[in-house]
Amino acid sequence: MIEDDLGGADESLIRDLSSLPRGRSSRRELLRRLAGVSLGGPLARFKGVSLLTSLPAAQQGEAVPHETPATLPTPVALTPEDEQLLDEIEHSNFLYFWEQANPQTGLVKDRCNVRATDTSVVASIASTGFGLTAICIGEKRGYVPHQAARSRVIASLLFLWKTLPTHRGFYFHFANINTGERIWDSEASSVDTAILLCGILTCRQHFQDRSISDLALAIFNRVDWSWLSEDTSLLPMGWTPEGGFLSSKWDYYSELMMMYLLGMGSSTHPIQPAAWSAWKRTTFEYDGLHYIGSFAPLFVHQYSQAWFDFRGKKDKYADYFQNSAIATDAHRLFCLELARIFPDYSDDLWGITASDSDKGYVVWGGPPAIGPIDGTVVPAATGGSLPFLPGMTMRVVRNIRKNYPKAWSRYGFVDAFNPLKNWYDTDVVGIDTGITMLMAENARSAFVWNTFMKNPEAQRGMAKAGFKDYKPTPRTP
């Protein structure tokens, strides 16, 4: 059940998306045209797949009625064993961002094959944003010496400031890891630039270093948010030299929150506060749980909350932290319902978000079901949700680490695996590794939240959006 106008996500759009041509361009077009789905994703190296599954309606998110509607689980504290496992995961994740980056440019690979020698040169600015935050965590946790971390950050920021191509301060989605040259015809991406800026601002506050602070502020202040919003309150998804602004806009709830808040927090080229109310907040219902969502994978509830701390705050619309917790639990229940078709799903093994599959990169999730769901498990779905439902998500993380050794690598979990098909991905994807690492640290110490929120730009953005502190209603078991 959906309690609002669904805009462009109607059946005709679904049919259009299913008939898109296969390949790299089809994925970008798919993401642009599906309301609420991000351009901030990794490169699809494999052939495209259709958007919607042919599951019967009852298997596409219509819950089997329960006598008692679901309630949110009571939050639980992490155990010493949980802390030890999360430290292992974070350390492995850190190695990805340290070893799969060019030390001179600071750019981080979009993805890496962990089962063979990886020779790809494709970097993404979103991976680089996660990577800059990973360096802060790594320095704090002792994974890397302070001076080495500081030197890498300075080299990264210098390259971003002086060399990596931009348009009005916005960076192109994909770049050559060694030269910074724009790869293919990738767009100057508004959301991927926002992810990069979040990483840059985290470094600024963590290191408290004059060189880092000056570079970070210069890069942030160069971004011309007012140009992006000149004729509209809804921010476009990007711009290309060949075609100008992309037609699709950030108009439905998604990871867009970080972008609007950064834009409102800018002191040089701000967007108007009215933009915060311009995008739609569609209410979904699943098994008695009500939450703001969109036709998009679980990551839309994670990315902005990796840096912006929404705990104990609400605007005139919602408490977005509790909203993400509710949406995550609805997703868990959705996966448990699918266990009738895919018996690998259980309380110990659930979680679907945009990821690799044995047929290619897939935008999938639910409720309601999107994508050709086939029993694949995506570790970043639970890893990126650790602060929202620590007990439920840790149960899955522990199970995968203990009982699925083929899903583990030097850099942590592979992007996806399917026990029913005995298929295990060969790749680690930067943004999925990144959201797992950042949210693991937030669940343990709130370090990323506490560090990033010291930035006056973040504080100013949330104030302009109307966020106020409040005491949330305690959850009941």
Side-chain angles (χ1 to χ4, degrees):
M1 175 182 176
I2 302 163
E3 301 172 348
D4 201 349
D5 171 38
L6 298 183
D10 55 18
E11 292 184 1
S12 63
L13 172 59
I14 300 306
R15 288 193 295 271
D16 290 345
L17 290 172
S18 298
S19 63
L20 285 171
R22 296 178 180 271
R24 186 178 67 240
S25 61
S26 69
R27 174 188 168 276
R28 289 203 295 270
E29 182 66 13
L30 183 153
L31 294 180
R32 287 171 185 166
R33 295 173 63 187
L34 179 63
V37 177
S38 167
L39 279 170
L43 163 69
R45 291 198 331 192
F46 312 103
K47 65 180 180 179
V49 292
S50 67
L51 176 67
L52 287 187
T53 174
S54 58
L55 291 175
Q59 298 166 17
Q60 291 192 24
E62 295 182 11
V64 175
H66 289 230
E67 292 184 4
T68 304
T71 56
L72 271 175
T74 302
V76 298
L78 297 173
T79 67
E81 292 76 16
D82 293 338
E83 286 276 353
Q84 184 177 6
L85 174 56
L86 291 180
D87 194 70
E88 178 190 29
I89 292 171
E90 286 186 59
H91 196 176
S92 299
N93 296 161
F94 168 78
L95 291 176
Y96 174 85
F97 293 106
W98 191 257
E99 296 177 352
Q100 297 304 319
N102 181 310
Q104 282 73 50
T105 67
L107 298 179
V108 179
K109 282 187 179 181
D110 179 64
R111 60 164 68 229
C112 171
N113 186 321
V114 292
R115 305 305 184 206
T117 301
D118 190 280
T119 58
S120 64
V121 296
V122 181
S124 77
I125 59 167
S127 287
T128 303
F130 278 110
L132 287 169
T133 309
I135 292 174
C136 297
I137 297 171
E139 195 276 337
K140 169 186 178 288
R141 290 285 176 187
Y143 305 153
V144 63
H146 172 82
Q147 190 54 45
R150 176 183 178 274
S151 296
R152 176 70 67 90
V153 169
I154 289 177
S156 303
L157 298 187
L158 280 170
F159 189 82
L160 292 169
W161 174 243
K162 291 185 175 182
T163 306
L164 192 65
T166 66
H167 184 79
R168 300 287 188 119
F170 291 91
Y171 289 91
F172 292 94
H173 192 155
F174 297 114
N176 184 295
I177 194 171
N178 300 314
T179 66
E181 181 183 3
R182 177 191 181 206
I183 286 185
W184 305 302
D185 57 350
S186 61
E187 77 288 357
S189 170
S190 50
V191 72
D192 293 281
T193 296
I195 293 173
L196 178 62
L197 293 174
C198 284
I200 290 170
L201 293 178
T202 304
C203 290
R204 172 196 187 190
Q205 293 300 328
H206 174 65
F207 285 95
Q208 293 294 303
D209 179 278
R210 178 67 179 270
S211 297
I212 291 174
S213 295
D214 288 350
L215 284 166
L217 188 59
I219 293 168
F220 184 85
N221 285 343
R222 181 171 61 181
V223 179
D224 192 348
W225 299 99
S226 56
W227 164 77
L228 195 67
S229 60
E230 184 174 357
D231 299 321
T232 176
S233 295
L234 294 169
L235 301 182
M237 289 190 174
W239 176 93
T240 67
E242 297 81 11
F245 284 116
L246 304 184
S247 59
S248 297
K249 292 181 170 57
W250 292 103
D251 52 359
Y252 275 81
Y253 169 85
S254 64
E255 71 275 30
L256 58 72
M257 291 194 295
M258 70 173 86
M259 187 170 38
Y260 281 87
L261 292 172
L262 289 174
M264 289 189 292
S266 171
S267 62
T268 53
H269 307 286
I271 61 176
Q272 295 301 310
W276 185 251
S277 296
W279 48 273
K280 278 211 162 193
R281 295 158 172 85
T282 301
T283 301
F284 287 69
E285 186 272 337
Y286 187 84
D287 198 19
L289 298 175
H290 296 256
Y291 58 96
I292 294 170
S294 54
F295 288 97
L298 192 60
F299 74 82
V300 302
H301 296 285
Q302 301 171 346
Y303 278 23
S304 289
Q305 304 216 31
W307 290 278
F308 281 92
D309 186 1
F310 293 97
R311 295 174 301 163
K313 299 180 181 70
K314 64 187 301 187
D315 64 359
K316 65 181 180 180
Y317 302 104
D319 173 337
Y320 296 98
F321 184 85
Q322 284 200 344
N323 186 76
S324 286
I326 296 168
T328 303
D329 201 43
H331 178 74
R332 179 183 68 87
L333 295 170
F334 166 76
C335 291
L336 296 183
E337 293 288 355
L338 289 177
R340 294 173 296 148
I341 309 122
F342 308 113
D344 57 326
Y345 292 151
S346 70
D347 278 320
D348 293 314
L349 196 66
W350 56 271
I352 315 164
T353 188
S355 73
D356 289 346
S357 74
D358 64 333
K359 295 182 175 65
Y361 193 86
V362 189
V363 177
W364 51 12
I370 59 171
I373 297 170
D374 64 355
T376 294
V377 176
V378 186
T382 46
S385 301
L386 282 162
F388 304 135
L389 296 177
M392 297 293 187
T393 53
M394 277 304 306
R395 183 171 176 175
V396 177
V397 171
R398 285 193 300 266
N399 179 42
I400 298 175
R401 182 67 184 97
K402 179 180 179 181
N403 296 313
Y404 297 89
K406 292 181 182 179
W408 184 255
S409 76
R410 175 175 177 80
Y411 299 137
F413 296 121
V414 296
D415 195 54
F417 66 101
N418 190 322
L420 301 178
K421 299 180 178 181
N422 195 30
W423 173 80
Y424 292 83
D425 202 357
T426 60
D427 283 15
V428 165
V429 172
I431 57 174
D432 291 342
T433 301
I435 194 61
T436 298
M437 182 180 184
L438 271 60
M439 292 304 240
E441 185 59 43
N442 278 332
R444 297 173 70 191
S445 71
F447 167 74
V448 181
W449 289 328
N450 293 340
T451 304
F452 176 80
M453 290 307 300
K454 293 177 183 175
N455 285 288
E457 294 81 4
Q459 297 170 14
R460 188 161 51 239
M462 292 193 78
K464 287 186 176 181
F467 280 93
K468 306 290 185 183
D469 293 336
Y470 88 111
K471 188 174 182 179
T473 303
R475 301 181 197 170
T476 56

